[in-house]
């Protein structure tokens, strides 16, 4: 259930592949950067890899400093899903069994991907037979000038968000939702991604670039344009937040066709609930209860 390529026309009507990826399944198995991956059960971080639910404590795999990240040692990105075609869409399904990576409940998950005209759409649904936690997302890396075309510093980005989650040195939210105003996190008006990426503010310096969640305050929530291709991406979702990640820890490696894809060679817009929400009851809940159905969508429209 991984997005390997998205091909869209540039300003000269030439086809451009705008996401990073690999040519072979073996490269995805060997990789650890989640290129295009479906992330679960819980995207982003859970502090100290543990949480309490209904009076019971659950321990998860620690794989990111002191924290649990993107589902653990073998998250959803590490499985081959069942799949079938439905019209212009592909529907991926899998059952995450009770206890997988330490999570409670048998979870039935469906991810539907496909095109609606010029919008690439992802629709998620899930049900569980026991209360659990869930925060699904997709980890596509976008370079609107084309995968392997260099860094994304000159991409122009706009994010409809008034606040962001302040994080510590381990990229774990402190609980503060701070105003973006007068910070490097302010994308309310279009600016290049590289304008403030080397800023000394902790919100970018601690992560060598952007790796924080924005609190979405309007729709569509983001707009980005490749400076060379003229391709514009307009993103929308029903989720409360989006993680902007600027590939700060990608090492120089070959992507599709042997093209180099290294530091800041792409950006991610990972729609989701806020990181570590299970430890912040004042935030939108990531608890999925037995008998309830989780449904969500994310769309990336190309112009």
């Amino acid at each position: 259930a991984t997005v390997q390529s998205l091909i869209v026309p540039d300003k000269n009507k030439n086809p451009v592949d705008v996401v990073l990826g690999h040519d072979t399944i073996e490269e995805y198995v060997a990789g650890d950067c989640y290129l295009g991956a479906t992330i679960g059960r819980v995207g982003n971080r859970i502090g100290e890899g543990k949480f309490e639910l209904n009076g019971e404590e659950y321990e998860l795999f620690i794989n990111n400093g002191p924290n649990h990240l993107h589902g653990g040692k073998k998250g959803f990105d590490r499985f081959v899903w069942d799949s079938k075609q439905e019209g212009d869409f592909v529907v991926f399904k899998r059952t995450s069994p009770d206890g997988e990576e330490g999570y409670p409940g048998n979870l039935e998950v469906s991810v539907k991907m496909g095109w609606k005209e010029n919008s690439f759409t992802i629709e998620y649904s899930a049900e569980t037979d026991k209360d659990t936690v869930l925060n699904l997302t997709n980890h596509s890396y976008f370079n609107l000038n084309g995968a392997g075309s260099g860094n994304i510093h000159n991409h122009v980005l706009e994010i409809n968000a008034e606040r962001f989650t302040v994080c510590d040195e381990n990229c774990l939210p402190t609980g503060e939702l701070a105003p973006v105003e007068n910070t490097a996190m302010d994308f309310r008006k279009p600016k290049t991604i590289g304008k403030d990426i080397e800023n000394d503010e902790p919100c970018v310096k601690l992560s060598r670039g952007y790796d924080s969640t924005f609190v979405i305050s309007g729709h569509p929530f983001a707009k980005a344009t490749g400076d060379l291709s003229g391709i514009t991406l307009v993103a929308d979702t029903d989720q409360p937040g989006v993680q902007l990640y600027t590939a700060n820890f990608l090492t120089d490696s070959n992507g599709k066709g042997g093209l180099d894809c290294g530091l800041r060679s792409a950006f991610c817009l990972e729609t989701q609930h806020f990181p570590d929400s299970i430890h912040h009851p004042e935030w939108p809940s990531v608890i999925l209860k037995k008998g309830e159905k989780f449904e969500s969508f994310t769309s990336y429209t190309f112009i």
Side-chain angles (χ1 to χ4, degrees):
T2 292
V3 179
Q4 186 186 26
S5 73
L6 289 177
I7 300 172
V8 299
D10 67 7
K11 61 186 178 184
N12 297 316
K13 308 300 183 184
N14 297 314
V16 177
D17 191 349
V18 295
V19 295
L20 306 192
H22 296 298
D23 291 319
T24 67
I25 189 71
E26 289 79 14
E27 290 171 295
Y28 283 102
V29 171
D32 61 357
C33 296
Y34 307 98
L35 299 188
T38 295
I39 302 295
R41 287 189 190 192
V42 173
N44 221 307
R45 293 161 179 86
I46 294 180
E48 299 181 351
K50 57 187 177 183
F51 64 91
E52 186 176 301
L53 183 61
N54 297 334
E56 186 172 347
E57 187 167 278
Y58 296 90
E59 294 195 6
L60 313 171
F61 187 77
I62 302 295
N63 61 331
N64 182 252
N67 305 314
H68 173 85
L69 175 70
H70 289 341
K73 185 176 183 179
K74 190 175 182 181
F76 285 6
D77 62 297
R78 294 287 166 175
F79 290 89
V80 175
W81 297 50
D82 295 328
S83 63
K84 66 176 182 178
Q85 184 175 342
E86 288 187 2
D88 293 333
F89 285 76
V90 178
V91 179
F92 299 93
K93 292 185 177 182
R94 75 172 299 258
T95 300
S96 174
D98 182 32
E100 184 175 87
E101 288 294 322
Y103 291 102
N106 294 296
L107 185 75
E108 301 287 342
V109 187
S110 173
V111 182
K112 184 177 180 180
M113 298 180 181
W115 290 93
K116 291 182 178 179
E117 296 182 348
N118 58 333
S119 296
F120 179 72
T121 302
I122 306 174
E123 299 174 2
Y124 305 92
S125 65
E127 295 180 277
T128 180
D129 63 0
K130 183 179 181 180
D131 291 2
T132 191
V133 291
L134 183 73
N135 193 14
L136 300 171
T137 190
N138 179 269
H139 210 302
S140 286
Y141 288 72
F142 295 99
N143 186 319
L144 300 178
N145 292 330
S149 64
N151 69 47
I152 41 78
H153 286 197
N154 289 326
H155 279 53
V156 175
L157 177 64
E158 181 179 1
I159 299 178
N160 204 335
E162 302 285 340
R163 297 179 296 165
F164 70 99
T165 59
V166 177
C167 294
D168 63 17
E169 65 275 9
N170 294 307
C171 212
L172 191 74
T174 63
E176 179 185 2
L177 300 180
V180 300
E181 189 172 8
N182 297 321
T183 75
M185 302 294 288
D186 194 348
F187 284 92
R188 292 175 298 173
K189 293 182 179 179
K191 68 176 181 181
T192 61
I193 292 175
K195 182 177 186 295
D196 296 315
I197 204 167
E198 300 287 355
N199 199 293
D200 283 336
E201 295 174 41
C203 55
V204 287
K205 189 172 184 178
L206 290 174
S207 298
R208 301 169 60 191
Y210 291 99
D211 195 8
S212 294
T213 297
F214 289 79
V215 181
I216 294 171
S217 57
H219 298 275
F221 73 81
K223 181 179 180 180
T225 300
D227 56 305
L228 302 178
S229 68
I231 295 171
T232 292
L233 180 160
V234 179
D236 207 1
T237 187
D238 56 4
Q239 291 293 283
V242 58
Q243 183 93 357
L244 171 64
Y245 176 55
T246 48
N248 312 321
F249 297 98
L250 274 190
T251 55
D252 289 335
S253 60
N254 289 339
K256 292 171 292 189
L259 295 172
D260 288 335
C261 297
L263 176 70
R264 298 178 186 163
S265 61
F267 66 95
C268 303
L269 294 173
E270 305 162 56
T271 58
Q272 57 189 268
H273 279 57
F274 309 150
D276 201 33
S277 285
I278 192 63
H279 293 132
H280 296 277
E282 72 278 15
W283 291 354
S285 177
V286 291
I287 297 173
L288 178 63
K289 293 184 177 295
K290 176 183 178 180
E292 294 182 350
K293 186 174 184 179
F294 172 83
E295 292 184 302
S296 177
F297 86 94
T298 295
S299 64
Y300 300 106
T301 302
F302 295 92
I303 304 169

